[in-house]
Amino acid sequence: MTGMASRTRGAERRREPLSRERIVAAAVELLDTVGEGGLTFRALAERLATGPGAIYWHIAGRSELLVAATDAVLTAAAVGDEPDATPHETVRALALGLFDAIDEHPWVGAQLVGTPSQSPMLPIFEQLGRQVRALGVPQGAWFSAVSALWNYILGVAGQNAANARMPQPATDRTAYVGSVADHWAALDADRYVFTRTVADQLREHDDRAEFLTGIDLILTGITAHRWPAG
Amino acid sequence: MTGMASRTRGAERRREPLSRERIVAAAVELLDTVGEGGLTFRALAERLATGPGAIYWHIAGRSELLVAATDAVLTAAAVGDEPDATPHETVRALALGLFDAIDEHPWVGAQLVGTPSQSPMLPIFEQLGRQVRALGVPQGAWFSAVSALWNYILGVAGQNAANARMPQPATDRTAYVGSVADHWAALDADRYVFTRTVADQLREHDDRAEFLTGIDLILTGITAHRWPAG
DNA sequence: GAAATCTCTGGAACGACGTTCCAGCACGCC
DNA sequence: GGCGTGCTGGAACGTCGTTCCAGAGATTTC
């Protein structure tokens, strides 16, 4: 497509025309810089040098824009599967790809937990399912096993989104975790024995490694669980 | 202006004054009947026969109101622990209590995933932690093990909240699940082999039982996992 | 008992939002 | 030229969270 006026209009327009892709790209940029609440049709219009009404010609509304933005980020972060990897490794790679995408764009996490199984997630669900099948889980338990993985991943996604929303957008994350850990360590000694004990583990933990540990945990459970006959 | 008799009968009490509790109770009622988006300071004021400004004397803002409503529901649903129960049974009871509370008030699920570890959840975290400890997990892995349970529970909470938000508030849930299952069954036969296969499991699954299966799965993983030395 | 003070009320108003409406532009086609 | 169509962008509508404030009761002070 060297597009020498093959389909484009003869004269170059003054500005690049609006398009669904340009709008979605601007929306992702806005979401990344100012957060979920910062995505406004007015701000978006200003960034695109137009008015709010023009955007509605290309996109039905705010929710469709959020779905499109999520889809754009997720398909860009899609993981190609290594043919020689074990099911365990493949699940880890899939989950890590999701984690990193959500870590980079926390609003994606909020969007994923806020809407029921959406189209951009279906391929990931499928890939997870195939690995579960390859782990030798009996067919009657496929749905349960994948659901466990699924809900865990969405839970972490939601927590990441919530953490990114809480303090000032630029506050240091370790400082925030540290303040929560301080709070835990100062709890009542009798009623919160356990929480006090793990305060330091909270302070020093690494989100990404912890997420992977949870994945391993569930995979261990999936293979070790005594599934009901079926 | 002849109103000398503006005073009501002596026995008739004046309208019950506003109070934080009355406001929170009305908010929970509103959230249960019209959903998360239906909680409006104007609707709340109308229900309390007052103006929006009066509410702000007792409660700082919308988010504090949501936290207070969540706290009210969660403390009302708190589970007392049976002394003779195994750790496994106790975790199941705790998780089920949370599940049922969220099932009855789906907006609680959205609230829990939308805010970082909040005060009303700390007791539950503590109780979960004690059971994990009782399961024999090495101390260095306490935080990881509880986090896995935690994130799974929050993931299910978020999905429940999302499901309750999607269709018309009164639409039958099984009909909705059925339509999703139909969609899954009609997917491309090559690219979605697995998803097609589990479409019927999705259609016939029971949310509550599935949730419990996931809990069992993670508990199995926690006890069977080869924790790193520490 | 009058006046001052405090607590609490509720209606009006502000600014921002999502969304709709519509007058008008630039083009493709006759 | 005229005309229709695809697209633009600014104005406007209704609703939201929130703030403001004049004042009603109740309570205290003189």
Side-chain angles (χ1 to χ4, degrees):
Chain A
M1 285 219 212
T2 60
M4 273 296 270
S6 68
R7 195 142 177 224
T8 50
R9 322 219 149 74
E12 197 90 41
R13 273 214 194 173
R14 272 179 302 203
R15 271 184 313 100
E16 194 162 350
L18 275 182
S19 70
R20 196 184 156 93
E21 297 83 43
R22 238 163 64 81
I23 294 174
V24 171
V28 170
E29 219 176 297
L30 213 49
L31 285 164
D32 284 343
T33 49
V34 289
E36 337 186 29
L39 178 63
T40 289
F41 274 81
R42 284 171 176 80
L44 197 57
E46 191 185 8
R47 184 173 279 240
L48 293 167
T50 177
I55 301 176
Y56 276 86
W57 183 261
H58 302 271
I59 283 187
R62 187 174 203 269
S63 55
E64 178 176 321
L65 180 56
L66 279 170
V67 171
T70 304
D71 192 289
V73 166
L74 248 47
T75 58
V79 186
D81 39 15
E82 298 266 339
D84 293 343
T86 67
H88 193 116
E89 288 167 349
T90 305
V91 169
R92 285 175 61 119
L94 277 170
L96 266 190
L98 258 180
F99 181 91
D100 289 338
I102 292 171
D103 196 50
E104 200 173 351
H105 316 276
W107 50 273
V108 171
Q111 180 62 17
L112 289 183
V113 303
T115 63
S117 312
Q118 205 77 34
S119 46
M121 287 296 266
L122 260 187
I124 299 168
F125 184 87
E126 170 73 18
Q127 285 185 272
L128 281 180
R130 294 185 182 195
Q131 306 313 314
V132 161
R133 192 183 49 185
L135 282 173
V137 174
Q139 176 164 357
W142 284 357
F143 182 74
S144 300
V146 181
S147 287
L149 270 173
W150 194 251
N151 284 310
Y152 171 74
I153 291 172
L154 286 185
V156 175
Q159 287 299 97
N160 267 30
N163 287 336
R165 197 177 335 157
M166 244 298 130
Q168 274 81 341
T171 308
D172 198 39
R173 162 132 176 79
T174 61
Y176 172 67
V177 172
S179 74
V180 176
D182 290 344
H183 178 229
W184 283 17
L187 285 171
D188 182 89
D190 284 336
R191 301 211 323 250
Y192 292 100
V193 202
F194 177 83
T195 307
R196 283 169 55 102
T197 308
V198 294
D200 279 340
Q201 296 184 34
L202 165 68
R203 196 192 316 276
E204 293 155 13
H205 87 285
D206 171 55
D207 276 346
R208 199 164 182 269
E210 211 64 56
F211 171 68
L212 261 193
T213 302
I215 293 285
D216 289 343
L217 205 58
I218 296 178
L219 288 177
T220 300
I222 287 179
T223 53
H225 196 69
R226 302 191 45 179
W227 296 104
Chain B
M1 303 296 207
T2 63
M4 283 296 257
S6 67
R7 164 85 85 195
T8 51
R9 307 215 170 156
E12 189 88 42
R13 240 191 331 184
R14 279 192 55 79
R15 228 195 43 251
E16 195 162 351
L18 275 182
S19 70
R20 196 183 154 92
E21 297 82 43
R22 240 165 60 82
I23 293 174
V24 170
V28 170
E29 217 175 298
L30 214 48
L31 285 164
D32 285 343
T33 49
V34 288
E36 337 186 31
L39 178 62
T40 289
F41 274 82
R42 285 172 175 80
L44 197 57
E46 191 185 8
R47 186 172 278 239
L48 293 167
T50 178
I55 300 176
Y56 277 85
W57 183 261
H58 302 272
I59 281 186
R62 187 174 202 270
S63 56
E64 178 175 320
L65 180 56
L66 279 170
V67 170
T70 303
D71 192 289
V73 166
L74 248 45
T75 58
V79 185
D81 38 15
E82 298 266 339
D84 293 343
T86 67
H88 193 116
E89 288 167 348
T90 306
V91 169
R92 284 175 61 120
L94 277 170
L96 265 191
L98 258 180
F99 180 91
D100 289 338
I102 293 170
D103 196 51
E104 199 172 351
H105 316 276
W107 50 273
V108 171
Q111 180 62 18
L112 288 182
V113 303
T115 63
S117 312
Q118 205 79 34
S119 46
M121 287 297 266
L122 261 186
I124 299 168
F125 184 88
E126 170 74 19
Q127 286 186 270
L128 281 180
R130 294 186 182 194
Q131 306 313 314
V132 162
R133 192 182 51 185
L135 282 173
V137 174
Q139 176 164 357
W142 285 357
F143 181 73
S144 300
V146 181
S147 288
L149 270 173
W150 195 250
N151 283 310
Y152 171 74
I153 292 172
L154 286 185
V156 175
Q159 287 298 96
N160 267 30
N163 287 337
R165 197 177 334 154
M166 241 301 131
Q168 274 81 338
T171 308
D172 198 39
R173 163 131 176 79
T174 61
Y176 172 68
V177 172
S179 74
V180 177
D182 289 344
H183 178 229
W184 282 17
L187 286 171
D188 182 271
D190 284 337
R191 301 211 324 250
Y192 292 101
V193 200
F194 178 84
T195 306
R196 283 168 54 101
T197 308
V198 294
D200 279 341
Q201 295 183 35
L202 165 68
R203 196 193 314 277
E204 293 156 13
H205 88 285
D206 171 54
D207 276 347
R208 200 164 182 267
E210 212 65 56
F211 170 67
L212 261 193
T213 302
I215 293 285
D216 289 342
L217 205 59
I218 296 178
L219 288 177
T220 301
I222 287 179
T223 52
H225 196 69
R226 302 192 47 179
W227 295 104

